[in-house]
Amino acid sequence: MNVCFFPRLKEFILNQDWNDPKSQLQQCCLTLRTEGKEPDIPLYKTLQTVGPSHARTYTVAVYFKGERIGCGKGPSIQQAEMCAAMDALEKYNFPQMAHQKRFIERKYQQELKEMRWEREHQEKDLDDTEDIRK
């Protein structure tokens, strides 16, 4: 008998959801360091602050080795930094990220297919339920 106490644990692990975008970006940058030198880390700069104090929008850019690799906006500096890190992870070619994605997809190919299928059917069921209520 198989019992699953944490039904979404596998999805959590496969998607690496414990690892926020800023942490992922820092790990990727650290893997690109040259031996014997101080590691380069991503630097975040607030470019713009717009709006009144109770409803501000921050624009933040992230730089790596002096190059701007991502930009993001958010209602707080922290959220804008997260968006900038996600943007950088999507745009910048980090060999580690590509390797991790390939490894996970190869190793857990069947599980990923099943998770996607389940998610699609859950979303479809929710849409059907909402349509019935209307």
Side-chain angles (χ1 to χ4, degrees), residues 90-107:
E90 290 170 5
K91 291 180 179 175
Y92 198 84
N93 184 22
F94 287 106
Q96 180 196 12
M97 289 296 288
H99 172 74
Q100 283 180 349
K101 285 179 184 177
R102 281 194 311 271
F103 175 80
I104 288 172
E105 285 174 359
R106 264 186 273 150
K107 185 166 182 173

Side-chain angles (χ1 to χ4, degrees), residues 18 28 38 45 64 98 107 118 120:
W18 73 89
C28 288
E38 267 310 295
K45 253 187 207 175
F64 178 62
K107 185 166 182 173
E118 287 175 18
E120 287 171 6

Side-chain angles (χ1 to χ4, degrees), residues 46-98:
T46 303
L47 302 178
Q48 188 179 32
T49 304
V50 179
S53 60
H54 66 281
R56 290 225 162 111
T57 300
Y58 298 90
T59 303
V60 172
V62 60
Y63 296 84
F64 178 62
K65 294 185 177 182
E67 178 186 345
R68 183 172 162 175
I69 61 171
C71 191
K73 291 184 177 186
S76 69
I77 292 173
Q78 184 180 12
Q79 287 180 340
E81 287 176 348
M82 289 288 188
C83 290
M86 282 188 349
D87 186 45
L89 288 167
E90 290 170 5
K91 291 180 179 175
Y92 198 84
N93 184 22
F94 287 106
Q96 180 196 12
M97 289 296 288

Side-chain angles (χ1 to χ4, degrees), residues 6 19 21 25 28 31 36 41 43 51 65 75 79 95 100 106 109 113 115 123 125 129:
F6 303 102
N19 211 354
L25 181 60
C28 288
T31 62
I41 58 171
L43 299 172
K65 294 185 177 182
Q79 287 180 340
Q100 283 180 349
R106 264 186 273 150
Q109 191 171 21
K113 282 181 187 176
M115 285 174 10
E123 289 171 0
D125 291 344
T129 304

Side-chain angles (χ1 to χ4, degrees), residues 122-134:
Q122 288 172 351
E123 289 171 0
K124 185 178 180 256
D125 291 344
L126 286 173
D127 290 342
D128 291 345
T129 304
E130 288 177 9
D131 289 342
I132 292 171
R133 289 182 185 168
K134 293 178 183 179

